[in-house]
Amino acid sequence: MVKKQKKFVCQECGATFSKWYGRCPNCGAWNSLVEVETESTKGNKTSLRSLPLSKVEVNNVHRLTTGIKEVNRVLGGGLVPGSLILLAGEPGIGKSTLASQIGLNLAHKCTVYYLSGEENLPQIKLRLQRLTSSLPAKFYLIEGREIAGLENLVIKEKPSLVIVDSIQTVESGVLESQIGSISQIRQIAQQLMDLAKRYLVPIIIIGHITKEGRIAGPKLLEHMVDTVIYFEGDSNHQFRILRAVKNRFGTTNEVGLFTMEGSGLREVANPLTLFSSQLKVAVPGAATGVIMEGDRPILVEVQALVNPTVLNIPRRVAQGISTNKLIILSAIISRRLGLPLGNYDVFVNITGGLRIQEPAIDLAVSLAIVSAVKQKPLKPKSAFFGEVGLLGEVRPVPFINRRLKEAKRLGMERVGVTRPTLLRKLAKTELGY
Ligand SMILES: Nc1ncnc2c1ncn2[C@@H]1O[C@H](COP(=O)(O)OP(=O)(O)OP(=O)(O)O)[C@@H](O)[C@H]1O
Ligand SMILES: [Mg+2]
């Protein structure tokens, strides 16, 4: 007999408890327990089956290519049949656009379902028309927002891809709780997982991100799906990065680069066109750095401006790197290079709106600042990477060869730091003072 039970589920780790706690006894998260109704199946006699490995059949995985190289790369080569993919990102970043473009590409050859709880059918069609000049015949929009009804359609049409936009706005059709609630999201994810695995259809679920940058809904959602990809970027800038944070069918080191344009997302082959001012003349205060996004080296331009301060405490304003890093690098330059920045405001910006945490950017930032102080441009076609320490030393960083190769590919002639050296020495050779 099925009996309804109340349980408390931690949204962080998914542990369940029979009573409420202010702090999850399992993972220690505060205020993360939410009451849910569950069905107890105690008393049901189910039997399991054991199989020797030799009897387990493994079919060769035939990945479905999305027609977008950058997406295939992040997915590990394409969509795996029967996989559940969570595509997450901030509002307006382009999640629906990306999923639509994948669907449009595939729908020339096979059936694609698009179920949206966010927009009505004409709205979706308008977007699709903006993204393509010829609407493929096999792209189907699903009317209604109940996941429970999807199974019959899947059996009938056997689609090659199902897109659910978004998990927070569709209904399970089984539970009565509010749309977007934790229990609905868990239920929907479970239903979609069953559907994907049973009929071997890949399903892309779009998910929103909270203010803290986390996927809205239970943490459990990320555990349940096969692949979690984040679509990131700055809504004030054109570029977008697609990044896998979990992938049961590939590495999580690959990233895809796009720009958002009127006709949709466009793949980026040369990031330097995006992340540099592309000035033809050498200007003091600019340095090119080579950073890694996952396994991919990206060339970026660091810009620095140094100006006499009118304040008692000089300002350190950083965009694209942390202010703390700028404060530390300014102190190192003051002390170790004998260029006192105490009476100067220092502003640093990474062109194109990229946010960088990697220490490899230290050297380019430092040289950009020194170049700005000295009012002397760095030599053209130079790119730098290296971590700057408090002693004023520059240390090599990982993936030297990949960085060198990409820098050379994009026309850089003088590159990197491959051996430990001193920032003072390097600034002297590069800026000749
Ligand atoms: N006509 C247009 N020309 C250029 N860019 C556009 C146009 N229409 C929309 N965009 C871009 O597409 C973005 C919205 O894309 P999309 O709807 O795919 O985002 P989303 O992540 O699905 O948003 P939401 O969270 O609201 O569902 C806009 O922020 C804008 O940058
Ligand atoms: Mg959307």
Side-chain angles (χ1 to χ4, degrees):
M1 202 187 101
V2 176
K3 200 174 138 206
K4 293 249 171 190
Q5 275 192 343
K6 293 231 154 126
K7 278 194 176 169
F8 295 87
V9 179
C10 173
Q11 296 165 67
E12 296 293 327
C13 66
T16 51
F17 305 95
S18 54
K19 63 174 193 165
W20 189 83
Y21 294 94
R23 188 176 190 203
C24 172
N26 188 42
C27 68
W30 286 99
N31 214 11
S32 64
L33 262 57
V34 170
E35 188 178 357
V36 291
E37 271 197 352
T38 57
E39 287 177 347
S40 161
T41 51
K42 260 190 197 158
N44 280 3
K45 284 205 175 131
T46 52
S47 59
L48 302 177
R49 199 160 69 103
S50 64
L51 272 183
L53 279 176
S54 57
K55 291 269 162 59
V56 179
E57 281 183 31
V58 181
N59 297 326
N60 273 345
V61 177
H62 175 70
R63 290 176 188 257
L64 201 61
T65 157
T66 62
I68 306 174
K69 260 199 240 151
E70 302 283 301
V71 176
N72 288 341
R73 186 214 298 259
V74 174
L75 289 175
L79 294 160
V80 173
S83 62
L84 195 58
I85 299 143
L86 179 63
L87 168 62
E90 286 179 11
I93 205 73
K95 302 177 294 295
S96 306
T97 308
L98 182 66
S100 303
Q101 280 182 251
I102 296 173
L104 285 170
N105 278 344
L106 283 176
H108 285 291
K109 281 186 257 149
C110 38
T111 305
V112 174
Y113 279 176
Y114 193 105
L115 187 150
S116 174
E118 303 213 326
E119 295 155 297
N120 58 22
L121 304 193
Q123 256 180 313
I124 303 171
K125 184 168 177 183
L126 275 177
R127 184 175 50 239
L128 295 176
Q129 279 173 333
R130 179 164 59 83
L131 300 177
T132 181
S133 49
S134 67
L135 287 176
K138 292 186 174 177
F139 197 106
Y140 291 88
L141 299 182
I142 309 295
E143 261 189 312
R145 50 160 78 173
E146 282 192 2
I147 297 294
L150 204 59
E151 185 165 350
N152 289 340
L153 276 174
V154 170
I155 297 171
K156 214 168 79 192
E157 294 279 345
K158 298 198 176 53
S160 297
L161 174 67
V162 175
I163 297 165
V164 176
D165 188 3
S166 64
I167 191 158
Q168 284 92 357
T169 56
V170 291
E171 283 176 69
S172 70
V174 176
L175 289 183
E176 281 180 6
S177 51
Q178 211 184 340
I179 293 179
S181 65
I182 308 278
S183 43
Q184 279 279 352
I185 291 176
R186 270 164 59 110
Q187 177 66 31
I188 293 164
Q190 192 58 55
Q191 281 170 260
L192 289 173
M193 187 55 126
D194 290 346
L195 197 66
K197 302 285 177 237
R198 190 169 310 154
Y199 301 102
L200 287 182
V201 49
I203 302 181
I204 298 179
I205 318 174
I206 291 175
H208 291 289
I209 273 186
T210 59
K211 272 194 212 117
E212 295 81 39
R214 305 258 302 275
I215 296 170
K219 188 80 182 151
L220 203 65
L221 183 60
E222 287 178 59
H223 293 297
M224 285 170 85
V225 300
D226 296 308
T227 304
V228 181
I229 46 180
Y230 273 81
F231 203 36
E232 305 168 350
D234 185 333
S235 44
N236 296 321
H237 290 88
Q238 262 195 318
F239 89 90
R240 305 279 183 271
I241 292 184
L242 189 66
R243 196 194 301 275
V245 292
K246 163 183 171 176
N247 195 353
R248 286 188 182 146
F249 306 108
T251 144
T252 49
N253 292 334
E254 294 289 358
V255 294
L257 283 181
F258 299 89
T259 51
M260 174 63 93
E261 292 171 20
S263 56
L265 292 156
R266 185 185 291 250
E267 300 174 69
V268 177
N270 177 0
L272 205 51
T273 56
L274 212 62
F275 302 121
S276 84
S277 57
Q278 300 198 58
L279 288 177
K280 293 274 181 290
V281 287
V283 180
T288 304
V290 189
I291 55 148
M292 296 297 291
E293 277 290 349
D295 271 357
R296 185 167 180 178
I298 296 179
L299 270 70
V300 294
E301 186 179 272
V302 182
Q303 298 183 342
L305 180 70
V306 176
N307 207 29
T309 188
V310 290
L311 303 170
N312 287 337
I313 302 171
R315 277 189 296 178
R316 306 285 181 246
V317 182
Q319 273 174 350
I321 59 165
S322 78
T323 307
N324 273 347
K325 174 169 281 201
L326 177 57
I327 293 170
I328 293 171
L329 291 176
S330 302
I332 293 170
I333 292 167
S334 295
R335 201 70 193 165
R336 306 285 178 193
L337 270 68
L339 290 177
L341 293 172
N343 296 326
Y344 291 89
D345 293 330
V346 181
F347 307 90
V348 164
N349 178 37
I350 307 292
T351 315
L354 205 65
R355 279 186 287 268
I356 303 170
Q357 286 176 344
E358 211 199 356
I361 196 68
D362 292 359
L363 181 57
V365 174
S366 307
L367 290 176
I369 296 172
V370 177
S371 156
V373 178
K374 289 284 166 191
Q375 279 300 301
K376 236 179 148 178
L378 284 154
K379 293 170 189 158
K381 298 195 176 167
S382 315
F384 304 96
F385 48 87
E387 182 177 356
V388 176
L390 293 181
L391 307 179
E393 84 281 20
V394 188
R395 293 189 296 260
V397 286
F399 308 110
I400 289 179
N401 286 339
R402 266 186 235 173
R403 294 181 211 250
L404 287 175
K405 210 168 137 196
E406 177 69 358
K408 293 240 159 88
R409 183 178 82 84
L410 296 178
M412 298 294 155
E413 287 162 7
R414 317 164 34 82
V415 252
V417 161
T418 48
R419 278 176 292 132
T421 178
L422 283 176
L423 182 60
R424 186 159 40 89
K425 229 168 109 188
L426 206 71
K428 266 190 185 144
T429 44
E430 293 302 324
L431 289 155
Y433 75 91

